[in-house]
């Protein structure tokens, strides 16, 4: 393989397959016996240039040679041919000394006598005879050279010879004769560069490659004439050898374990290259190699002085007070010598700052905050220095320590103006304080004397004019009533700048921040004062509001200020803002104007009058039977309420007709005994907060009707349950009168005949179509279209009584329909007696 064509400067040659070995001349050998299969055998030759970091690959494929087919005997044809003239190639020594003409070769033919040279060539691209360099004797066929030949110019020749008979006939085919020029070691090797320059970091380990020197030879390749050897002849400075040179490759490596740039910045090497594999009789040439040692940060900077002193006036800011310098043996201008300064101690208040001057590498110490002579007359700082680049220590060397230096800063006393302490004073003032109220004191001190004597105070014009300050004592008073809702105080605070002037006219400034604390300036009031309370006496929720902020608003306390009304009405807490108003006991219907006082958390009392219309109604819209204006809104009697009233009236009317028709005018009067009933009457729970009061609307009926009444016999007892729907009962229909136990009782308490004029089926057949027609025609609009929800669904509100529902009648005769009244519990006995008296 041609290695030079792929990579001429190859230093490293290797094969990917260990069964093959590649030499430097490109020849490939097998290292073991191989058996090639039918497929190709491939491997890769790797070439590397270590110095230039170049890598090339050559892919080699091996193919098994095809075996030549042997011909059978019958296919072989033997022919007689004349022996041709064919001398072996000639060899001529390069730079031969003669004598000339020098015989090279003799060519002869058996049939010809005259010989001529028709054409000659030498080397690639040379097509002409080099001016009679060779000639041939016509009669003998001897070929002669006329002079010495340079192989580097003509490596070989090809001469075409012709043999003719005397009559000019050419019996022979022209003969091509090759003359090869044998190389002579007449060229010394030479370096490709006049000067080789390499760099290597200091403290590099032995074996680190520095670079490679390259030499060439014009003699014939792959011979001893071009087999070169390298060596170092001398080193400058002539100290311990620092580098080694590989004799075959010319690679220079580090030899000395410690290369110190600060000691020797560069080395100059005199190198030699010799052919004939370095034999003494070989030709040689020398060259120069310069190796520069690159700097690494292996030296720590150190201060030139261990102590510094400087002065600065107090209150001076952003002023340079000192410059410090360091010594660093590393290369100037490199990151290894660039200094980075820092203040290690003594700068807790961040009053000092130190930076680096890039041009001089000095540290510049500045004051960035004003110093106070009265606080500290001098400051002691400890500063340290490092490099920009990290330290790269030499092998087996000790850790570098940071260099430090102390700086003493003397503070010079200066005449200063008064100083407020603190510079910002916060004063909290309650809202609506009286004019002239003292809210605080703000004074300044003279830094030199430490007291406030002789200092005058004033507030510059053009600021918030809500406060004033006494010019001698510094006492702060209000000038106006502070209100969070007016002017500059809308944000709840204002800042006032105050001036302090001493006897020498020096001035100091301070700031007063006046913050208004919310006060109790608003009375609590009830948001809604007009209400309607129906017969259910559901408590009214009173809610109050207060424009003040905490802690002068909620929680509120409600009180009824009128004693007479307080005996009839009561207030109970609900939450911080709301209380419930409800009647005490069974008070008469009417309009009540109740004076209610609301006390906020700050003790401020707001008087309110709550107007309550206690109405005999089921819903507020039914009160007075017409629309009523409440709380600024229009409330009218709804269509559903009208529908409920109509249905209730019809139902009550049917019940009365049935009772009168079936049972006549006689009812049985029964006295209530003291025996306790076993829970014959079901307890009804209230649906809103309030007291448990006696409901005078409960109607115990003593009818023994089986067919016309709404009672159902259950065992030996009979009870009645009210039919409810959307808050309406039989009692909600006015005009028919209240049906009580006494209203159906006949004198003497004698029972009437237990007969009925109509059966239940007759009553049902008569009333059901008419009720359906009334419901069907209810809630029709102008276009005679029915509402989709005019039928009201009645919610289930509890377990029914033992007497069943009043909506059903039994066809069976019951003689004692109200026997359960004889077994009432004591508390229900009183209820029954009350109803009988009414």
């Amino acid at each position: 393989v041609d290695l030079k064509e792929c990579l001429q400067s190859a230093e490293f040659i290797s094969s990917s397959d260990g069964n093959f070995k590649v030499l430097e001349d490109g020849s490939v050998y097998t290292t073991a016996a191989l058996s090639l299969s039918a497929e190709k055998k491939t491997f890769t030759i790797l070439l590397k240039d270590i110095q230039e970091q170049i890598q090339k690959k050559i892919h080699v494929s091996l193919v098994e040679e095809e075996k030549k087919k042997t011909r059978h005997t019958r296919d072989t044809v033997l022919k007689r041919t004349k022996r041709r003239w064919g001398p072996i190639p000639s060899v001529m020594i390069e730079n031969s000394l003669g004598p000339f003409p020098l015989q090279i070769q003799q060519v002869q033919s058996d049939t010809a006598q005259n010989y001529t040279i028709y054409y000659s060539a030498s080397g690639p691209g040379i097509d002409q005879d080099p001016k009679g360099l060779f000639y041939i004797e016509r009669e003998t066929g001897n070929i002669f050279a006329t002079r010495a030949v340079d192989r580097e110019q003509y490596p070989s020749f090809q001469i075409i010879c012709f043999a003719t008979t005397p009559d000019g006939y050419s019996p022979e085919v022209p003969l091509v004769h090759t003359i090869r020029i044998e190389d002579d070691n007449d060229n010394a090797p030479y370096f490709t560069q006049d000067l080789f320059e390499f760099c290597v970091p200091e403290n590099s380990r032995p074996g680190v490659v520095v670079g490679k020197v390259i030499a060439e030879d014009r003699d014939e390749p792959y011979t001893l004439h071009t087999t070169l050897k390298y060596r170092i002849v001398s080193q400058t400075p002539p100290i311990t050898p620092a580098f080694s040179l590989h004799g075959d490759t010319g690679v220079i490596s580090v030899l000395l374990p410690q290369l110190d740039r600060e000691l020797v910045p560069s080395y100059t090497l005199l190198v030699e290259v010799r052919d004939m594999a370095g034999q003494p009789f070989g030709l040689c040439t020398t060259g120069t190699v310069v190796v520069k040692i690159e700097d690494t940060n292996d030296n720590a900077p150190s201060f030139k002085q261990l102590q510094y002193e400087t002065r600065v006036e107090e209150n001076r800011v952003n002023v340079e007070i000192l410059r410090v310098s360091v010594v660093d043996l590393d290369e100037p201008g490199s990151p290894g010598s660039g200094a980075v300064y820092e203040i290690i101690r003594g700068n807790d208040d961040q009053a000092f700052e130190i930076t680096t001057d890039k041009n001089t590498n000095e540290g510049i110490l500045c004051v960035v905050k004003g110093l106070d002579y009265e606080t500290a007359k001098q400051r002691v700082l400890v500063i340290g220095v490092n490099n920009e680049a990290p330290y790269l220590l030499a092998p087996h060397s000790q850790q570098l320590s940071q260099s430090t230096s102390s700086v003493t800063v003397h503070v010079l006393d200066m005449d200063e103006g008064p100083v407020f302490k603190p510079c910002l004073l916060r004063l909290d003032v309650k809202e609506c304080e009286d004019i002239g109220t003292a809210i605080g004191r703000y004074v300044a001190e003279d830094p030199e004397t430490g007291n406030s004597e002789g200092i005058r105070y004033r507030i510059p014009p053009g600021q918030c004019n809500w406060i004033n300050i006494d010019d001698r004592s510094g006492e702060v008073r209000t000038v106006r009533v502070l209100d969070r809702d007016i002017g500059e105080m809308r944000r709840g605070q204002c800042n006032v700048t105050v001036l302090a002037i001493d006897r020498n006219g020096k001035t100091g400034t301070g700031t007063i921040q006046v913050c208004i604390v919310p006060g109790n300036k608003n009375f609590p009031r009830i948001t809604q004062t007009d209400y309607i309370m129906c017969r259910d006496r559901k408590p009214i929720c009173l809610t109050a509001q207060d424009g003040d902020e905490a802690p002068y608003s909620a929680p509120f306390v409600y009180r009824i200020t009128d004693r007479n009304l307080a005996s009839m009405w009561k207030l109970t807490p609900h939450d911080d803002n709301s209380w419930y108003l409800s009647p005490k006991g069974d008070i008469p219907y009417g309009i009540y104007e109740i004076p209610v006082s609301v006390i906020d958390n700050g003790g401020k009392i707001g008087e309110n009058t709550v107007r309550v219309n206690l109405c005999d109604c089921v819903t507020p819209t039914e009160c007075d039977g017409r629309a009523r204006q409440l709380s600024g809104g229009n409330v009218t009697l709804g269509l559903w309420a009208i529908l409920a009233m109509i249905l209730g009236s019809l139902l009550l009317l049917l019940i009365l007709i049935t009772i009168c028709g079936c049972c006549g005018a006689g009812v049985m009067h029964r006295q209530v005994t003291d025996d306790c009933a076993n829970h014959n009457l079901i307890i009804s729970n209230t649906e809103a907060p309030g007291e448990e009061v006696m409901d005078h609307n409960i109607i115990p009926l003593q009818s023994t009707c089986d067919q016309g009444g709404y009672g159902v016999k259950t065992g030996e007892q009979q009870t009645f349950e009210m039919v409810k729907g959307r808050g309406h009962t039989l009692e909600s229909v006015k005009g028919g009168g209240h049906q009580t136990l006494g209203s159906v009782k006949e004198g003497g308490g004698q029972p009437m005949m237990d007969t009925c004029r109509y059966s239940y089926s007759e009553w049902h057949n008569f009333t059901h179509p008419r009720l359906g027609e009334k419901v069907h025609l209810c809630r029709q609009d102008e276009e005679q279209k029915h509402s989709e929800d005019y039928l009201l669904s009645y919610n289930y509100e509890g377990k029914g009584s033992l007497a069943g529902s009043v909506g059903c009648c039994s066809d069976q005769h019951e003689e004692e329909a109200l026997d359960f009244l004889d077994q009432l519990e004591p508390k229900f006995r009183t209820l029954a007696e009350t109803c009988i008296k009414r």
Side-chain angles (χ1 to χ4, degrees):
V1 292
D2 191 351
L3 303 180
K4 295 294 184 181
E5 182 179 355
C6 182
L7 183 60
Q8 189 172 2
S9 59
E11 302 173 359
F12 178 79
I13 305 172
S14 64
S15 171
S16 62
D17 193 340
N19 293 324
F20 300 94
K21 179 180 180 182
V22 184
L23 302 184
E24 295 180 358
D25 59 355
S27 57
V28 182
Y29 294 88
T30 58
T31 60
L34 296 178
S35 176
L36 297 179
S37 63
E39 299 179 356
K40 295 182 179 180
K41 179 72 175 181
T42 60
F43 65 94
T44 302
I45 299 175
L46 179 64
L47 306 178
K48 289 184 180 180
D49 186 339
I50 300 177
Q51 182 178 1
E52 300 294 335
Q53 299 294 325
I54 299 175
Q55 180 174 306
K56 297 288 186 178
K57 293 182 179 180
I58 300 176
H59 299 283
V60 180
S61 298
L62 302 180
V63 182
E64 187 177 5
E65 293 183 357
E66 295 183 359
K67 296 182 179 180
K68 294 182 179 181
K69 296 181 180 180
T70 57
R71 292 186 295 179
H72 299 285
T73 306
R74 62 178 181 270
D75 296 333
T76 304
V77 178
L78 300 178
K79 295 182 180 180
R80 292 190 62 184
T81 57
K82 186 175 72 172
R83 180 178 60 85
R84 296 189 57 197
W85 60 325
I88 61 175
S90 303
V91 176
M92 178 180 176
I93 301 300
E94 180 187 14
N95 301 322
S96 175
L97 300 179
F100 295 100
L102 180 64
Q103 183 179 355
I104 302 301
Q105 183 65 274
Q106 181 182 18
V107 295
Q108 289 184 346
S109 174
D110 296 339
T111 58
Q113 297 178 355
N114 300 327
Y115 304 94
T116 58
I117 297 176
Y118 176 75
Y119 180 79
S120 64
S122 60
I126 299 179
D127 300 331
Q128 297 179 356
D129 182 7
K131 295 182 180 180
L133 180 59
F134 299 98
Y135 70 92
I136 188 171
E137 288 185 346
R138 187 177 182 86
E139 294 81 8
T140 63
N142 291 324
I143 300 174
F144 293 90
T146 60
R147 64 180 183 272
V149 180
D150 187 1
R151 193 206 65 86
E152 287 70 36
Q153 185 178 6
Y154 303 107
S156 64
F157 296 90
Q158 287 183 343
I159 300 175
I160 301 176
C161 303
F162 290 88
T164 59
T165 59
D167 56 359
Y169 172 71
S170 297
E172 301 289 347
V173 178
L175 175 66
V176 179
H177 183 62
T178 300
I179 301 176
R180 188 176 64 84
I181 307 302
E182 186 176 346
D183 182 49
D184 183 22
N185 191 19
D186 57 343
N187 294 284
Y190 61 93
F191 287 102
T192 56
Q193 296 178 217
D194 296 335
L195 178 64
F196 292 92
E197 292 183 347
F198 304 109
C199 297
V200 64
E202 63 177 328
N203 301 318
S204 295
R205 297 188 304 272
V208 175
V209 175
V210 177
K212 179 182 179 181
V213 294
I214 301 174
E216 295 180 352
D217 197 323
R218 287 190 293 269
D219 290 326
E220 185 176 0
Y222 312 115
T223 63
L224 284 175
H225 298 164
T226 54
T227 302
L228 308 179
K229 287 289 185 179
Y230 303 90
R231 71 182 184 93
I232 297 176
V233 179
S234 63
Q235 171 185 295
T236 303
I239 55 177
T240 305
F243 305 96
S244 63
L245 179 60
H246 194 278
D248 296 330
T249 61
V251 175
I252 300 176
S253 303
V254 175
L255 182 63
L256 188 66
Q258 291 182 353
L259 294 177
D260 191 353
R261 189 204 65 85
E262 290 73 33
L263 183 61
V264 180
S266 66
Y267 293 86
T268 302
L269 305 178
L270 181 63
V271 296
E272 175 192 84
V273 58
R274 185 182 294 271
D275 60 12
M276 299 302 292
Q279 297 296 327
F281 51 82
L283 303 179
C284 66
T285 303
T286 59
T288 303
V289 177
V290 175
V291 181
K292 294 182 179 180
I293 308 302
E294 293 180 346
D295 181 51
T296 58
N297 190 19
D298 58 344
N299 294 279
S302 60
F303 286 100
K304 292 183 178 180
Q305 294 180 224
L306 298 181
Q307 293 182 350
Y308 293 90
E309 286 192 11
T310 184
R311 291 175 174 79
V312 63
E313 298 176 354
E314 64 174 333
N315 300 322
R316 293 289 301 275
V317 181
N318 296 327
V319 58
E320 178 184 328
I321 61 175
L322 181 65
R323 281 181 173 255
V324 296
S325 58
V326 294
V327 176
D328 197 324
L329 299 179
D330 293 319
E331 185 176 0
S334 66
S337 64
V340 178
Y341 300 91
E342 61 177 338
I343 301 176
I344 300 176
R345 290 192 299 274
N347 192 31
D348 296 337
D349 57 352
Q350 304 297 317
F352 299 91
E353 184 180 84
I354 188 167
T355 57
T356 303
D357 188 339
K358 297 297 183 181
N359 297 325
T360 62
N361 209 30
E362 293 178 325
I364 304 174
L365 184 63
C366 300
V367 177
V368 294
K369 288 184 181 179
L371 302 177
D372 188 5
Y373 173 81
E374 288 72 26
T375 303
K377 296 180 175 56
Q378 71 177 18
R379 299 282 294 273
V380 178
L381 307 177
V382 177
I383 58 176
V385 62
N386 291 308
N387 287 131
E388 298 176 5
Y391 292 121
L392 296 177
L393 303 180
H396 310 293
S397 61
Q398 296 181 354
Q399 181 68 31
L400 299 178
S401 60
Q402 184 183 25
S403 177
T404 60
S405 179
S406 63
V407 179
T408 302
V409 181
H410 299 280
V411 183
L412 303 180
D413 186 23
M414 301 295 293
D415 187 13
E416 303 172 272
V419 178
F420 282 98
K421 293 183 179 180
C423 60
L424 175 63
L425 176 64
R426 178 188 173 99
L427 297 177
D428 292 334
V429 186
K430 290 185 178 180
E431 193 173 12
C432 301
E433 288 281 2
D434 296 335
I435 298 176
T437 302
I439 60 175
R441 189 166 178 264
Y442 195 31
V443 296
E445 295 181 357
D446 191 335
E448 281 74 26
T449 62
N451 54 52
S452 303
E453 294 181 1
I455 298 178
R456 298 292 181 264
Y457 307 95
R458 69 183 182 90
I459 297 177
Q463 300 189 76
C464 179
N465 57 353
W466 296 76
I467 64 172
N468 194 8
I469 187 170
D470 188 87
D471 63 341
R472 292 181 179 274
S473 64
E475 188 176 33
V476 182
R477 294 180 177 273
T478 58
V479 180
R480 300 168 58 185
V481 177
L482 302 183
D483 193 341
R484 291 171 57 89
D485 302 326
I486 300 177
E488 301 91 336
M489 291 298 180
R490 289 182 179 177
R491 293 175 296 177
Q493 69 177 32
C494 69
N495 295 335
V496 181
T497 301
V498 182
L499 300 180
I501 306 171
D502 62 8
R503 296 187 181 93
N504 298 327
K506 296 286 185 178
T507 303
T509 60
T511 302
I512 297 177
Q513 186 180 68
V514 181
C515 299
I516 300 180
V517 179
N520 194 11
K521 68 176 182 178
N522 295 300
F523 294 92
R525 60 183 181 86
I526 298 177
T527 57
Q528 180 180 348
T529 57
D530 288 349
Y531 295 93
I532 294 178
M533 180 180 288
C534 290
R535 67 179 60 172
D536 58 359
R537 287 172 168 77
K538 183 179 180 180
I540 297 171
C541 185
L542 303 178
T543 302
Q545 290 183 349
D546 194 332
D548 297 323
E549 298 180 2
Y552 301 110
S553 56
F556 300 123
V557 178
Y558 292 71
R559 296 285 186 271
I560 299 176
T561 57
D562 189 282
R563 291 186 177 181
N564 293 330
L565 292 175
S567 64
M568 303 173 64
W569 297 85
K570 67 175 181 179
L571 290 167
T572 55
H574 173 55
D575 55 25
D576 290 346
N577 296 325
S578 304
W579 283 47
Y580 285 120
L581 175 64
S582 59
K584 293 182 178 179
D586 188 9
I587 64 176
Y589 295 108
I591 298 177
Y592 297 87
E593 292 186 354
I594 306 170
V596 178
S597 64
V598 183
I599 308 171
D600 62 16
N601 197 35
K604 210 151 195 174
I605 303 175
E607 299 293 342
N608 304 267
T609 300
V610 179
R611 187 173 182 272
V612 180
N613 184 1
L614 182 59
C615 184
D616 188 10
C617 60
V618 176
T619 60
T621 56
E622 298 176 3
C623 188
D624 294 338
R626 66 179 183 275
R628 180 177 182 86
Q629 182 176 355
L630 292 175
S631 302
N634 295 327
V635 181
T636 60
L637 194 61
L639 295 177
W640 288 112
I642 296 174
L643 176 62
M645 293 171 62
I646 294 173
L647 293 177
S649 300
L650 292 175
L651 185 60
L652 181 59
L653 180 60
L654 291 174
I655 293 174
L656 294 176
I657 293 173
T658 305
I659 294 176
C660 294
C662 293
C663 302
V667 293
M668 181 180 293
H669 174 72
R670 299 179 183 272
Q671 298 294 330
V672 178
T673 64
D674 293 336
D675 296 335
C676 295
N678 294 325
H679 304 287
N680 288 306
L681 295 182
I682 299 175
I683 299 175
S684 299
N685 293 329
T686 60
E687 294 184 355
E691 292 182 339
E692 294 182 0
V693 297
M694 179 183 296
D695 193 347
H696 60 277
N697 295 323
I698 299 177
I699 307 174
L701 299 178
Q702 287 190 353
S703 174
T704 59
C705 176
D706 302 304
Q707 300 171 351
Y710 279 80
V712 178
K713 178 81 174 179
T714 305
E716 297 296 331
Q717 300 172 352
Q718 184 178 11
T719 60
F720 294 85
E721 68 176 1
M722 305 301 293
V723 180
K724 298 182 181 179
R726 294 187 177 268
H728 300 285
T729 67
L730 293 176
E731 300 293 333
S732 65
V733 183
K734 303 298 180 182
H738 293 285
Q739 188 69 257
T740 63
L741 187 63
S743 64
V744 296
K745 186 173 66 172
E746 189 113 344
Q750 297 299 325
M752 299 294 295
M753 294 297 293
D754 193 11
T755 59
C756 296
R757 287 177 291 179
Y758 300 101
S759 66
Y760 172 76
S761 59
E762 293 175 343
W763 169 79
H764 185 272
N765 293 335
F766 177 78
T767 60
H768 190 270
R770 287 160 177 78
L771 283 176
E773 181 180 359
K774 292 293 184 181
V775 174
H776 181 71
L777 295 177
C778 185
R779 283 300 302 273
Q780 286 185 342
D781 54 17
E782 297 177 357
E783 298 180 359
Q784 300 302 318
K785 293 181 179 180
H786 302 292
S787 173
E788 295 180 357
D789 55 353
Y790 60 83
L791 291 180
L792 300 178
S793 60
Y794 290 80
N795 295 328
Y796 176 74
E797 294 189 1
K799 182 178 179 181
S801 67
L802 298 177
S805 173
V806 297
C808 300
C809 292
S810 175
D811 292 336
Q812 300 177 0
H813 295 279
E814 299 177 0
E815 297 179 356
E816 296 178 357
L818 299 177
D819 292 341
F820 71 97
L821 293 176
D822 297 335
Q823 299 178 359
L824 294 176
E825 293 179 356
K827 62 179 181 179
F828 291 107
R829 199 165 52 244
T830 304
L831 174 63
E833 292 174 357
T834 303
C835 294
I836 292 174
K837 291 177 182 181
R838 291 188 180 181

